[in-house]
């Protein structure tokens, strides 16, 4: 397999069928697949995955028994994958699986794809979320001395050799920041492409559900940024 994309799933039982069927419709090559990481779900996601996965040859799954964070689920998937290229995206259907194909075409067409990091740049988000992202992007770019815009944009795609450079990546939502900042300081070419970001079809975000959650996210991100600047 040339590319296997990790998709962490935490209580996404309603979105998993939509996700698998969307991949089935748009996947036009047999060297790309997905790895669903049941990230300690407490709903019926495990039974949904067991029931549906045999119908989709491009998909496999692993389970994290106890949720230890967004980043932990992604890292579990990346470490499990054996493909030449790796990546991740979300299971909430706010990022279209077709964006993975678009992003991978961008990656493969590069002169030196092993030295390229491809990341989505979200469009069509609520104004408040855009404002929040802008503020965080400006802070991180100034503090860390690198252009870091829309840090949590999806999908993320890169060569396995880049992942092998990672040292002590975080297990929470700071993983997105860690990855793009590492790409910058390790002299990877970061290629961004625009992706639509519609509202969730089912369920609610496990973190983005009000001002209180955003404040906690800001605090965690700033704390990690302090460590990141010292450690890398």
């Amino acid at each position: 397999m040339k590319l296997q994309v990790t998709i962490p799933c935490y209580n996404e039982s309603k979105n998993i069928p939509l996700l698998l069927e969307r991949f089935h419709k748009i996947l036009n090559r047999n060297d790309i697949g997905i790895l669903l990481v049941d990230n300690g779900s407490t709903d019926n996601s495990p039974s949904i995955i067991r029931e549906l996965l045999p119908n989709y040859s491009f998909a496999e799954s692993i389970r994290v028994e106890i949720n230890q964070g967004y980043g932990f689920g992604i890292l579990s998937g990346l470490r499990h994958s054996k493909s030449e290229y790796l990546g991740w995206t979300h299971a909430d259907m706010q990022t279209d699986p077709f964006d993975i194909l678009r992003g991978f075409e961008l990656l493969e067409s590069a002169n030196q794809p092993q030295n390229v990091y491809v990341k989505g740049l979200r469009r069509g988000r609520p104004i408040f979320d855009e404002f929040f992202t802008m503020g965080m992007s400006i802070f991180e770019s100034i503090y860390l001395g690198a252009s870091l815009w829309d840090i949590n944009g999806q999908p993320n795609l890169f060569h396995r050799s880049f992942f092998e450079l990672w040292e002590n990546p975080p297990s929470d939502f700071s993983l997105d920041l860690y990855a793009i900042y590492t790409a910058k300081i390790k002299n990877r070419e970061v290629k961004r492409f625009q992706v639509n970001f519609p509202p969730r079809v089912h369920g609610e975000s496990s973190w983005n559900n009000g001002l209180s959650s955003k404040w906690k996210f800001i605090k965690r991100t700033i704390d990690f940024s302090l460590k990141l600047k010292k450690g890398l």
Side-chain angles (χ1 to χ4, degrees):
M1 187 172 291
K2 196 164 189 181
L3 168 68
Q4 186 173 50
V5 177
T6 290
I7 305 178
C9 306
Y10 178 67
N11 293 345
E12 295 284 1
S13 60
K14 292 183 178 180
N15 284 318
I16 289 169
L18 302 178
L19 183 71
L20 289 169
E21 193 57 27
R22 177 61 176 157
F23 270 106
H24 176 67
K25 289 180 179 178
I26 59 95
L27 205 52
N28 56 5
R29 46 192 291 185
N30 58 15
D31 59 351
I32 295 178
I34 62 172
L35 174 63
L36 301 182
V37 178
D38 177 8
N39 201 16
S41 295
T42 56
D43 65 357
N44 62 335
S45 291
S47 61
I48 294 292
I49 291 174
R50 284 195 302 271
E51 177 185 348
L52 294 181
L53 225 58
N55 300 320
Y56 301 96
S57 60
F58 55 83
E60 66 171 311
S61 70
I62 61 172
R63 174 168 168 82
V64 175
E65 290 299 329
I66 299 174
N67 186 291
Q68 299 179 58
Y70 162 83
F72 188 90
I74 292 171
L75 292 169
S76 298
L78 297 179
R79 290 166 181 152
H80 177 87
S81 294
K82 302 297 188 293
S83 54
E84 180 181 0
Y85 292 88
L86 303 170
W88 76 83
T89 192
H90 295 168
D92 54 17
M93 296 301 291
Q94 288 185 281
T95 53
D96 189 340
F98 188 67
D99 292 333
I100 291 172
L101 300 186
R102 294 173 56 221
F104 196 50
E105 287 179 2
L106 186 62
L107 181 54
E108 286 187 302
S109 66
N111 291 330
Q112 294 182 307
Q114 70 274 17
N115 293 324
V116 174
Y117 186 97
V118 170
K119 187 174 181 67
L121 187 65
R122 295 172 292 182
R123 292 291 182 264
R125 304 171 68 213
I127 294 297
F128 182 74
D129 287 346
E130 289 277 13
F131 180 78
F132 173 78
T133 295
M134 183 183 300
M136 291 300 298
S137 297
I138 292 172
F139 167 78
E140 296 294 352
S141 296
I142 294 173
Y143 182 71
L144 293 173
S147 179
L148 301 169
W149 200 260
D150 192 15
I151 295 164
N152 297 102
Q154 305 295 323
N156 298 267
L157 302 166
F158 45 89
H159 192 265
R160 170 176 291 278
S161 60
F162 173 60
F163 177 59
E164 292 170 349
L165 295 174
W166 294 11
E167 298 179 5
N168 300 317
S171 295
D172 60 10
F173 279 98
S174 300
L175 183 65
D176 285 280
L177 172 59
Y178 174 89
I180 191 170
Y181 180 65
T182 301
K184 293 279 187 177
I185 67 169
K186 297 296 184 181
N187 297 315
R188 263 45 183 187
E189 181 184 1
V190 177
K191 288 182 174 288
R192 307 298 298 265
F193 70 107
Q194 292 190 10
V195 299
N196 291 326
F197 195 80
R200 288 178 64 104
V201 178
H202 294 294
E204 296 181 353
S205 170
S206 59
W207 78 271
N208 187 13
N209 47 26
L211 289 174
S212 175
S213 64
K214 280 185 167 58
W215 171 246
K216 291 178 182 178
F217 179 81
I218 291 171
K219 186 178 184 303
R220 288 197 305 265
T221 302
I222 292 175
D223 289 344
F224 179 72
S225 299
L226 300 175
K227 298 176 184 178
L228 193 57
K229 191 170 185 178
K230 293 178 181 178
L232 293 178

